[in-house]
Amino acid sequence: MDQIDQRLIALLRHNARESVATLAARLGVSRGTVTNRLRRLEDGGVIAGYTLRLKPAADTGGLQAWMSIAIEGNDARRVTASLLGEPAVQALHATNGQWDLLAELQVATLPELARALERIRLIKGISHTETSIHLETLRAPHGAGAAQKDS
């Protein structure tokens, strides 16, 4: 995936219903280029499908995980751009301490998570990662949509 593919995925993440003409205009390429890239990303399994986002209160499931990421040297911009193009990455946060980035991942199944982790770990400039799977929300900010567990 090159930078145009990553920017295309980022645009689709924001609005998967965006027209090819609008995507092409935003990327500064032809509609044919967008169509061909979409087909290649779909055929290659990078884009597994198109979906919608629900408000947290209406979320119906899936698998959520967090990946802590350490970056080698001065590769932060390139690594960040690659991660923003990764379909499983729902949010990306810069952090301090041992880890440089924290990626919130959302997938449907464990095999899909395994494939996403493999793609991310192959990004040049990532030195090591640690992933935790979200099992249960015990407390969430008010209005975040997650039920608070009674003790």
Side-chain angles (χ1 to χ4, degrees), residues 17-38:
R17 296 185 64 187
E18 198 76 77
S19 72
V20 170
T22 301
L23 292 168
R26 290 186 181 183
L27 293 169
V29 299
S30 72
R31 289 185 310 219
T33 297
V34 170
T35 301
N36 290 337
R37 284 176 179 265
L38 286 172

Side-chain angles (χ1 to χ4, degrees), residues 108-128:
T109 64
L110 283 172
E112 188 179 335
L113 177 62
R115 289 189 297 274
L117 296 179
E118 181 180 0
R119 286 191 306 268
I120 291 169
R121 289 176 180 140
L122 290 173
I123 295 172
K124 186 174 186 253
I126 292 180
S127 63
H128 58 284

